[in-house]
Amino acid sequence: MIPVNAGAIGLAGILLLVALLALLGLALLALLLALPATRPALRRRPWRTAMAALSLLLLALPGALLLKDVRDSERQWQARQSALHPTLAAPLPLDELVFPAGTAVRLERAEPASDWQTGEPLPYGLETLVEAAFAEPQRIRGLAVVRLEAPPRHYVSTLFLASDQSIDGWPCARGPADFHREPADRLRPSRWRFDGCVLAPGAQLAGVVWPAGSQLQRIAEGWLLRHAGDHGVGIEHVGLPLAWLDLQLDEAGQAQGWQGALAGNLAFGPLRYGPGTEARMLSDGVLLFSPRRTPAQHLAQDEPITAGRSVRQAADGAVLGIHDNAELGVIDWMEFEVD
């Protein structure tokens, strides 16, 4: 955060206010000199009128100078911003990429500078390109791209796809796609590793039809497919209507496990679950249901199953056990409701 001197701001405000009042006074004095009814009285006291005008000018001067400094600072800032956001007049080759003429780029540094620790000179100008927006889609890694983001010292470069496209066999939607790389390889696409994207609407992966906005993300164990349930759009998996779903895949794209939350009421075997009940598949293929806001009801029991307990069921609905969450490693979380 940039430090702000409240006293200096207050003083500047006072100076501008005084300057405004002084200018109004000068305007009023000029009006009085122009009116036939008041002009003779002012002319009978020329020194007093001149002193009043001079005093008003002196009061207006500091504010006028301050306003000039503000405008000069604004012009300098705009000049710096323009220097940091040039449009290429000629093609620019950098590492493995060639940025065509007409590309609007953003630079990290437009002027020479030194490292504050070592004193070594830092790159500047077009060598510090951070972002490029193409006038026409360009091919990078075989993809039609309208924009590139490659911040120095970061480990991610982002390509903005011009349309829905396939990346390494994954159906990605128009928009950002992330690639992991080393900082030195930020403009060397051949050394990038695909890390994830927004899935193309209706993509079918692991037996699931993924709605618009669903995400693909690389994780340590492979891949994670995620539908967050934004805007109330649900998803279906293994016959269950879910509000959201996280589905984990191995490197080969095979489903390894999943978890989600029911989108509505569900009758499964002798259990009746309410919306918001968390559901997941355990490593042995057993389904686990954890009621949250709405208790579950066992048709053979009078007492409901409330938050803090979970039900293990086989794929055919047979109840394999009802346990405290602590026994199963299920985390109990607290909900806050806001009116």
Side-chain angles (χ1 to χ4, degrees):
M1 179 179 294
I2 298 175
V4 176
N5 189 323
I9 292 178
L11 178 60
I14 292 173
L15 290 175
L16 290 175
L17 178 60
V18 169
L20 177 61
L21 294 175
L23 291 174
L24 290 175
L26 284 170
L28 178 59
L29 183 61
L31 178 63
L32 293 175
L33 284 170
L35 292 175
T38 55
R39 185 188 311 128
L42 293 175
R43 285 185 172 180
R44 283 195 296 269
R45 300 177 179 85
W47 285 104
R48 184 178 297 179
T49 302
M51 289 301 296
L54 181 59
S55 298
L56 290 172
L57 282 172
L58 291 175
L59 288 172
L61 184 60
L65 292 175
L66 176 62
L67 186 59
K68 179 181 180 299
D69 287 343
V70 170
R71 290 181 175 175
D72 289 344
S73 297
E74 183 179 354
R75 283 193 291 268
Q76 291 172 6
W77 181 85
Q78 290 176 344
R80 287 194 295 269
Q81 291 303 306
S82 296
L84 289 172
H85 297 81
T87 298
L88 299 181
L92 172 68
L94 287 176
D95 288 338
E96 296 178 357
L97 299 176
V98 177
F99 298 91
T103 301
V105 301
R106 177 167 64 91
L107 310 179
E108 182 184 44
R109 198 176 300 104
E111 299 176 352
S114 300
D115 187 283
W116 67 275
Q117 290 180 313
T118 64
E120 293 293 325
L122 295 171
Y124 67 96
L126 293 173
E127 293 184 8
T128 64
L129 183 144
V130 174
E131 180 181 346
F134 304 113
E136 298 291 340
Q138 300 297 308
R139 287 283 169 181
I140 299 178
R141 283 181 59 100
L143 303 168
V145 174
V146 294
R147 195 162 98 238
L148 160 71
E149 290 182 1
R153 298 178 299 280
H154 286 214
Y155 288 84
V156 175
S157 286
T158 301
L159 299 179
F160 289 78
L161 307 180
S163 60
D164 295 355
Q165 299 172 66
S166 176
I167 303 179
D168 296 347
W170 299 103
C172 294
R174 175 179 178 270
D178 291 332
F179 296 82
H180 178 83
R181 43 77 174 176
E182 294 300 318
D185 296 330
R186 65 190 189 91
L187 298 178
R188 296 168 183 163
S190 64
R191 302 184 185 183
W192 296 355
R193 182 193 71 183
F194 177 54
D195 256 9
C197 66
V198 178
L199 291 174
Q204 298 187 33
L205 296 169
V208 179
V209 178
W210 296 88
S214 300
Q215 301 273 343
L216 169 69
Q217 178 184 350
R218 183 184 291 274
I219 58 176
E221 300 82 7
W223 296 92
L224 179 67
L225 295 168
R226 168 169 289 171
H227 174 62
D230 296 335
H231 310 296
V233 178
I235 189 170
E236 183 173 318
H237 182 48
V238 295
L240 301 178
L242 301 173
W244 61 268
L245 171 65
D246 284 355
L247 195 157
Q248 185 176 326
L249 309 176
D250 60 18
E251 287 288 351
Q254 299 300 312
Q256 298 299 299
W258 62 270
Q259 60 180 347
L262 297 180
N265 295 315
L266 174 71
F268 188 61
L271 273 297
R272 301 295 181 267
Y273 298 106
T277 300
E278 287 193 3
R280 71 187 66 191
M281 180 171 285
L282 303 178
S283 58
D284 55 4
V286 171
L287 292 171
L288 183 69
F289 294 91
S290 304
R292 293 301 186 185
R293 292 185 182 179
T294 307
Q297 186 64 54
H298 195 303
L299 297 182
Q301 299 178 1
D302 294 331
E303 183 179 354
I305 303 168
T306 57
R309 306 179 72 197
S310 294
V311 182
R312 294 171 58 246
Q313 289 182 261
D316 60 1
V319 177
L320 304 177
I322 300 174
H323 310 266
D324 289 337
N325 285 345
E327 298 178 35
L328 302 172
V330 176
I331 298 175
D332 290 316
W333 39 263
M334 184 179 296
E335 277 194 354
F336 296 92
E337 294 188 16
V338 180
D339 292 335

